[in-house]
Each structure stands twice: as C-alpha cells, then as structure tokens.
Amino acid sequence: MGSSFSFAINARDGDARVGELSTAHGAIETPAFMPVATYGAVRGVSADELRAAGAQILLANTYHLEERPGSEIIAEQAGLHGFTGWRGPWLTDSGGYQVTSLADRSRLDEDGVTFESSLDGSRHRLTPETAIQIQERLGSDIAMVLDECRPNATGSAASAELRAAAERTLRWAERSSRARQRTDQAVFGIVQGGTDTALRRANAQGLASLGFEGYAHGGLGLGEEPTQRADLVAATNEALPAASPRYLMGIGYPPDLVHAIAVGIDLFDCVIPTRHARHGVLFTRDGVLKLRNAQFKQDAAPPDAECDCATCAQHSRAYIRHLLRVNDTLGARLASVHNLRFYLRLMEDARAAIRAGTFDALREKIREAPIR
Amino acid sequence: MGSSFSFAINARDGDARVGELSTAHGAIETPAFMPVATYGAVRGVSADELRAAGAQILLANTYHLEERPGSEIIAEQAGLHGFTGWRGPWLTDSGGYQVTSLADRSRLDEDGVTFESSLDGSRHRLTPETAIQIQERLGSDIAMVLDECRPNATGSAASAELRAAAERTLRWAERSSRARQRTDQAVFGIVQGGTDTALRRANAQGLASLGFEGYAHGGLGLGEEPTQRADLVAATNEALPAASPRYLMGIGYPPDLVHAIAVGIDLFDCVIPTRHARHGVLFTRDGVLKLRNAQFKQDAAPPDAECDCATCAQHSRAYIRHLLRVNDTLGARLASVHNLRFYLRLMEDARAAIRAGTFDALREKIREAPIR
C-alpha cells in the first residue's frame, strides 16, 4: 500500500528534522504547513496564489466534502486533483474531528458515527471503512483514519471516556487498515488519549504495530498548555517509528509550530492564518496587526515591509482595512495570501535553520508577538 | 481643463464608432465597458485579473467612497491610482444616481443633496461644487457632474418633476464646470429628462454649450423599453458634439450594449456581469447558465468551452457550482472573472466588427440568449 509514497529525512538539528514526502502528485519538503481547504478550496484564494505563496500540499475534509458535493461527484472528475484547481498533493482529514466540532449533531457507537446534517437534517454515516472508501474516491495522496477525537476534561469519568475513545480509535485504525484498496494513497494513523501521556504512548505503539505510512497527533490544541503539548508530543514520538512522517493536527500559532518542529513534527495544518485573515488579523515579523483598528486608517505601509508576498508588494494597510470594512471579499483574499505566506515562509525558514544547525536560534526568535 | 485628456474617432460603421480616449493614466479603446468598483475594487477580483480580462478603465462611486474611507484618505495616498491596486484610468460617478437608489435616505434642494448614512446616521452633503472637489481629491481621470437622477413615471405631476430635475441638472452642470480646479481630469456632463425626447435634447444642447470633455446619458435603464431607450439615445446624440465621447450609464445586458453601440455610444458601465456572477448566473455564447441549478452538479465542462478567460481555462461548472453552494468566495470570484471577460470580449468584438464594417452582423448575433 502507498507504493507511490515515501518519506526521506535529509537533515537533523536535535530532534528537528528536514524531510521530503514523495507522493504521486509531487514532493513536499518538511516541515510543511498545509493550508486548510475544507471544501476543496482555501476560501477566496486560487491555486495559483497558493502555489506562489509556497504551498505544497492542501488539506480537505472528508465529512464536509461527502456532505457537499459528495465524493461520487468528485471521483467522476478524477478526484480532488481533477475537481479542484489544485493539482498538487492533497491530504484529507477523516471526519473524526467533527465528532468533537459537531458534537451536538453526531452520535457515536462502536461501529462508527452518525451525523445529522445542519443543512437539511439528512443523516451521514461514517465508519472506519466508509471513511477510507470516501477518501479513496476523493483520491487524496494522504488519507487519515477515522478517529474519535474527544475534548480534554478532568475527573475520573472523563478519564475513563478518554481511555475508551483512545482504545476505540485503535480498533478503528485496524479496521481502516484492512479496508484499504488503493495502492497510490498513503494512510496515516491518529494518536488519541488527551493529555494522558501513558495513554497516548500506548496508543502510538498500537498504531505503529499496525504499520501506517505516517502518524498524527490528534486531540490536541483543545485546551492544554503549549508546554504540556510539546512534552506530550515528544513523549509520544518516542513510541512512533522514527523514519515515518509525524503530523500535528490543527495546531497552531507560530510559536506552537516551532516548538513542535523542535520535538520532531513534520506536518501541520491550521485554520488560524486564513480565519484570522478574514477577521483582519495579520501576522508580521513585528507582531500581529488588527487591521480593523482605526490606527491603520491612513497607514500607507504594506502589512509587513519585509514580506515577499503578493499582497505586501502592492497594497497598503489602509486599503486592505478599507476593503475589510466595506465587506469586499478582496480584503479577506489579500489578507489570506499574506498570512499564508507568513506561515509558509516560517516553514522555509525552519527548514533552512535545521539544515544550518541553527534551529534553536530561530525558535528563540519566534515568540508570542505583540498585538497592535 | 482636461489637458491630458483627448478623444479620437478612428473608425465608423453607420453611427457605431471606434475611438481612443487618452488619459494621464493610459488609453482606452472604445466602445469600452467599465467594470464597477464602487468602493475602489471590483468585489473579490484583483487588478491583475481585471487587466487579464481586458479591462482598461474602472468606475468608482463618489458618494460611497466619501462615506468610506473618505476622499481625504484616498488623496493622501495619491488618489485612487495610489490607494487601490488599479493604476490605470478611473472614472468616478458623482453620487447623483444615489439620489434615486438611496431615495429614502436623501433630501434634495436647489443647492445640493443631503444623505443620511445607513451606517451611523451621519449626514453627508453633496453639492455640484463638493462633488467636483471630492472627485478632484479622488484623482479620477474622468469625473461626472452631480445630476438629479429621477425614476421614470407618468402623469402630469411626474412630468413636471422630470422637467424640474432636468433643468436643475443643467444648472448644476454649470456650477460643476465653474468649480473645476484640476487640469488633468476630464469632466462629463449628464443628460437627464427621463423618456421625454424633447426634454433630453434640450438638456443635451444646454450641456453642449457648457463644453464638457464628454457626455453621459443618465436616468435610463429605469423601466423604459430597450427600443425606446435606443431611440432616446439616438435622438439625444444628435444634440451632442459628434466628436465627444458618449457614455450610457448603468446599462445593461449584452443586446442593450450592442444596440447602444449602433447609435454611437462609446462607454458603458454596469453591475450586471459581477452581480449576476455572485448569484451564479454566467454569460456564455450559447446563453445564460444558472450554475446553482442541479443540472450542473456533475458537469465537468468549463462555463463556456470557447471562452478564453482564466476561469474557463481551469475550472468546471460543477466546481464553481460547488464553491457557490458552500459560500466560498472563490466561486463568486471565478464567476466574476468569467462574466467580465464575456463583457470585455464583446467590446473587443464590437470594435473589430466596426473596423471591418460588419457591425450589423454582430448586432444580429447578440440576441437575448436562452437561460439554462
């Protein structure tokens, strides 16, 4: 399985590493950040703009795409690569995260999850097997197993629930593995277990013995402290095959990313750069700009004078602020291009620093930035 | 005045004509269509995309820009050319149309119009003089005089009102003319008079005697029949200087455009291509597609197989439909690029046909197209 998929580690600096993921639709240099294209597009942004910003792989969502437009329709148009404007590598999330994010509309049993659509009340059933089948129809280069993602909580009942979810995730991973048909799609297992180190490590060992092409850390970024998260990831990584790619799901702010790279993470996805952009929050080397603030009304400077993105080359803070205020979607688009370039350049900087053996210095530089 | 502005007519076919408008920010081949960029941007579409689609000049709105962000702010950033991403020619509408479109929030007297902002209740006063001053701050290449645009109506009271509005528009045009300070900005007068041919002709003669760089037909597209409109425009054109550019404001569908070109119109603007695009209505050589219709769910064809736009080169009807349905603004953007290219190519085709003396044949071809 996954015969067109391989991963090679080309440089190390401490536990941080530079690698290359090869897929049937192109190679990805890691550490890599995957822009979130839930429905097959990064909101308002074209494939050409994503490529120009340095994107190498996008993330789409199995549950949402199955709801609209449906995987059959995407399969008819040669999968995500044919249906959307992005011809490069795709990763699809399984829908396991929607167990948490759509908790009030989902019901879970041992066999799978039933979602009630918020659109028309229709029911959608996901099992480990159908999640793989749908992703095989979508034709993503990397598929994720269906997992049970639980919000963190304390207390003995919550702890038992967490353990049950992690154990079920492992049983589901095995079923996912058996359900695979395609040989040109990698599948990644997902570690669950909340903030319980022993539980996560046991989960990781179980997944490793099933033998996936890569492994993800799931269920994080749901309330734990960043330092606790880095410790959990580091401890869990010890239980995963060192030569396999490791993906930290749904994280985070720039400092979270460099801390995770330091403990050996290779792949990231997060809605923060694009969601913040739509709200007028822009990342810069000097901190975060809240462009809707009145102080930027007459500011003729680009968002970041040192930035090499298409937005900073042409547009002022005042103009982007104006577009956001009059609800012209060009504003969100220009801000998204900028924020994605910020994240993708951070990955480029990280790879260069790891190769140069100076990753600690980069990590020191990327601190929680002031907000303006 | 308007020393960097000139207009030359280079070819004729009947009353249809090909010309070149020269401005300080570039030349415009006419007949030309101006995409509507009310707030300084065509919603969701970049300047690069507009240029690639064949746009030569954009239209922005004085009233709306004065409300947000304010002409002072735009003036500080070197006018519309510096503030926005579009460095080519700009035309600014005066705000006269808002007398009609914002009727319930505007109050008109002999001196000018007071608008109450729907945003915060603040009052904005436009007079013929301030409309010119604001447009001089905006730095547009072509400014429009403040006019009183009245909806068409029948009956003797309405007729008296129409006459009063047309006469006031003429008095305002004279005040506008006297208020001019810039020498690098053309100003166009606006003919009013509803569907009363004699009134419109008298208005046109009055404007012509004031001597503007161009003349616009205002107050049309508000309910009159297309054939009546063409007759009104033709009759009014006889009263305007033949060597000056003529602009039909706010019109219309493709057949309306070719009929107006046939009677000697040089410039157009209209929200139809972009507004329709946002609603999923796409223009093609074979008719209009309503992409939200279920029949396009699995349609792998581009919107128009013969279209040379960036959207048709890369995307299927099914994908654009999907983006529109999930409210991804990329859908409206791709559809806008396509519809604008349709309109701008129609102008290219019209210019070529006039040069070739085959405009009648083109006009026959552009009929009301079937809707799918």
Side-chain angles (χ1 to χ4, degrees):
Chain A
M1 297 286 178
S3 61
S4 50
F5 183 88
S6 66
F7 182 59
I9 296 170
N10 300 321
R12 288 176 192 276
D13 182 5
D15 289 329
R17 59 213 209 157
V18 166
E20 185 169 284
L21 271 173
S22 298
T23 78
H25 295 91
I28 301 135
E29 293 179 287
T30 64
F33 179 81
M34 300 184 280
V36 176
T38 303
Y39 283 106
V42 174
R43 286 200 204 172
V45 181
S46 72
D48 290 344
E49 287 168 319
L50 293 168
R51 205 171 299 115
Q56 306 175 79
I57 175 170
L58 303 188
L59 176 144
N61 185 280
T62 296
Y63 169 73
H64 289 293
L65 283 174
E66 184 64 0
E67 195 175 38
R68 288 184 296 183
S71 57
E72 300 283 1
I73 283 175
I74 293 175
E76 280 170 17
Q77 298 199 21
L80 284 165
H81 306 89
F83 183 66
T84 74
W86 180 259
R87 315 287 181 226
W90 279 98
L91 180 145
T92 40
D93 194 4
S94 62
Y97 182 67
Q98 279 63 47
V99 177
T100 293
S101 66
L102 308 177
D104 53 338
R105 299 196 276 113
S106 70
R107 214 190 54 242
L108 188 135
D109 56 55
E110 176 59 23
D111 186 52
V113 201
T114 303
F115 295 96
E116 190 183 15
S117 169
S118 64
L119 300 170
D120 56 8
S122 64
R123 298 221 165 156
H124 295 265
R125 178 80 177 160
L126 272 185
T127 68
E129 291 80 11
T130 63
I132 290 292
Q133 285 154 13
I134 294 167
Q135 292 178 88
E136 291 195 342
R137 283 199 290 271
L138 295 174
S140 52
D141 300 279
I142 304 172
M144 303 301 296
V145 298
L146 186 68
D147 58 329
E148 182 180 349
C149 179
R150 285 274 156 208
N152 290 316
T154 48
S156 61
S159 162
E161 234 181 66
L162 212 58
R163 173 170 302 271
E167 289 172 358
R168 185 178 292 117
T169 292
L170 197 54
R171 290 192 296 275
W172 283 6
E174 199 193 344
R175 286 168 54 190
S176 303
S177 194
R178 281 202 306 266
R180 297 173 67 176
Q181 300 283 338
R182 283 186 86 137
T183 57
D184 57 351
Q185 183 180 57
V187 175
F188 283 16
I190 305 178
V191 176
Q192 291 289 350
T195 53
D196 181 331
T197 308
L199 194 52
R200 293 193 81 92
R201 284 175 65 106
N203 213 238
Q205 279 156 357
L207 289 172
S209 71
L210 292 171
F212 291 97
E213 284 87 1
Y215 300 89
H217 299 267
L220 297 176
L222 298 171
E224 77 284 356
E225 289 295 318
T227 51
Q228 186 188 14
R229 185 191 313 136
D231 291 346
L232 282 167
V233 168
T236 308
N237 278 346
E238 290 170 13
L240 291 170
S244 299
R246 301 160 182 157
Y247 163 27
L248 179 56
M249 304 182 81
I251 307 291
Y253 283 95
D256 300 321
L257 270 58
V258 290
H259 286 305
I261 290 170
V263 294
I265 292 295
D266 308 299
L267 276 173
F268 298 93
D269 79 284
C270 194
V271 295
I272 286 175
T274 41
R275 181 177 291 164
H276 276 39
R278 292 195 297 273
H279 293 123
V281 178
L282 275 75
F283 292 90
T284 79
R285 290 173 216 239
D286 301 323
V288 170
L289 306 180
K290 293 190 155 183
L291 273 195
R292 284 180 163 269
N293 285 353
Q295 73 179 103
F296 300 112
K297 200 170 170 176
Q298 294 166 265
D299 194 334
D304 181 344
E306 290 173 60
C307 178
D308 58 358
C309 83
T311 299
C312 287
Q314 292 193 63
H315 301 289
S316 68
R317 294 167 176 181
Y319 182 55
I320 301 167
R321 175 180 190 273
H322 165 64
L323 294 174
L324 291 164
R325 288 183 77 235
V326 300
N327 294 319
D328 188 319
T329 55
L330 181 59
R333 170 183 165 187
L334 296 175
S336 294
V337 164
H338 170 79
N339 276 358
L340 285 173
R341 178 65 194 137
F342 186 90
Y343 267 65
L344 292 161
R345 190 175 50 228
L346 178 60
M347 295 295 114
E348 293 171 9
D349 291 348
R351 295 193 295 264
I354 294 166
R355 283 200 186 90
T358 59
F359 187 71
D360 270 354
L362 175 71
R363 186 179 168 189
E364 280 303 305
K365 246 176 60 188
I366 312 293
R367 297 188 167 285
E368 211 58 71
I371 291 175
R372 281 190 287 166
Chain B
M1 296 289 176
S3 61
S4 49
F5 183 88
S6 66
F7 182 59
I9 296 169
N10 300 321
R12 288 177 193 277
D13 182 4
D15 289 329
R17 57 211 210 158
V18 165
E20 185 169 285
L21 271 173
S22 298
T23 78
H25 295 91
I28 300 135
E29 293 179 287
T30 64
F33 178 81
M34 301 185 280
V36 176
T38 303
Y39 283 106
V42 174
R43 284 199 206 173
V45 181
S46 73
D48 290 343
E49 287 169 319
L50 293 167
R51 205 171 298 114
Q56 305 176 81
I57 174 169
L58 303 188
L59 176 144
N61 184 279
T62 296
Y63 169 73
H64 289 294
L65 283 174
E66 184 65 359
E67 196 176 39
R68 288 184 296 183
S71 57
E72 299 283 3
I73 283 175
I74 293 176
E76 281 171 17
Q77 297 198 21
L80 283 166
H81 305 89
F83 183 65
T84 74
W86 180 259
R87 315 287 181 225
W90 279 97
L91 180 145
T92 40
D93 194 5
S94 62
Y97 181 68
Q98 278 64 47
V99 177
T100 292
S101 65
L102 308 177
D104 54 338
R105 300 195 276 112
S106 70
R107 215 189 54 242
L108 187 135
D109 56 56
E110 177 59 24
D111 186 52
V113 201
T114 303
F115 295 97
E116 191 183 14
S117 170
S118 64
L119 300 171
D120 55 8
S122 64
R123 298 219 166 156
H124 295 264
R125 178 79 176 161
L126 272 185
T127 67
E129 291 80 10
T130 62
I132 290 292
Q133 285 154 14
I134 293 168
Q135 291 178 88
E136 291 195 342
R137 283 198 291 271
L138 295 175
S140 52
D141 299 279
I142 304 173
M144 303 301 298
V145 299
L146 186 67
D147 58 330
E148 182 179 350
C149 179
R150 285 272 157 210
N152 290 317
T154 48
S156 62
S159 163
E161 233 182 64
L162 212 57
R163 174 170 301 274
E167 289 171 359
R168 186 178 292 118
T169 291
L170 197 53
R171 291 192 296 276
W172 283 7
E174 198 194 344
R175 285 168 55 189
S176 302
S177 194
R178 281 202 306 266
R180 298 173 66 176
Q181 300 282 338
R182 284 186 85 137
T183 58
D184 56 351
Q185 183 180 56
V187 175
F188 283 15
I190 305 178
V191 176
Q192 291 290 349
T195 53
D196 181 331
T197 307
L199 194 53
R200 293 193 80 92
R201 284 175 66 104
N203 213 239
Q205 278 155 358
L207 289 172
S209 71
L210 291 171
F212 291 96
E213 284 87 1
Y215 301 88
H217 299 267
L220 296 177
L222 298 172
E224 77 284 355
E225 289 295 318
T227 50
Q228 186 187 15
R229 185 192 312 137
D231 291 345
L232 282 166
V233 168
T236 308
N237 278 346
E238 290 170 11
L240 291 170
S244 299
R246 302 160 181 158
Y247 162 27
L248 179 55
M249 304 181 82
I251 307 291
Y253 283 95
D256 301 322
L257 271 58
V258 289
H259 286 304
I261 290 170
V263 294
I265 292 295
D266 307 299
L267 277 173
F268 298 93
D269 79 285
C270 194
V271 295
I272 285 175
T274 41
R275 181 178 290 166
H276 277 38
R278 293 195 296 273
H279 293 125
V281 178
L282 275 74
F283 292 90
T284 79
R285 290 172 217 238
D286 301 322
V288 169
L289 305 181
K290 294 190 155 182
L291 273 195
R292 284 179 164 269
N293 285 353
Q295 72 180 102
F296 299 113
K297 200 170 169 176
Q298 294 167 266
D299 195 333
D304 181 344
E306 290 173 61
C307 178
D308 58 357
C309 83
T311 299
C312 287
Q314 291 194 61
H315 301 289
S316 68
R317 294 166 175 181
Y319 183 56
I320 301 167
R321 175 180 191 274
H322 165 64
L323 294 174
L324 291 164
R325 289 183 76 234
V326 300
N327 295 318
D328 188 318
T329 55
L330 181 59
R333 171 183 164 188
L334 296 175
S336 294
V337 164
H338 170 79
N339 276 357
L340 285 173
R341 178 65 194 139
F342 186 90
Y343 268 64
L344 293 161
R345 190 174 50 228
L346 178 60
M347 295 295 113
E348 292 171 9
D349 291 348
R351 295 194 296 264
I354 294 166
R355 284 201 186 91
T358 59
F359 187 71
D360 271 353
L362 176 71
R363 186 181 171 187
E364 280 303 306
K365 246 176 61 188
I366 311 295
R367 298 187 168 283
E368 210 58 69
I371 292 174
R372 281 189 289 164

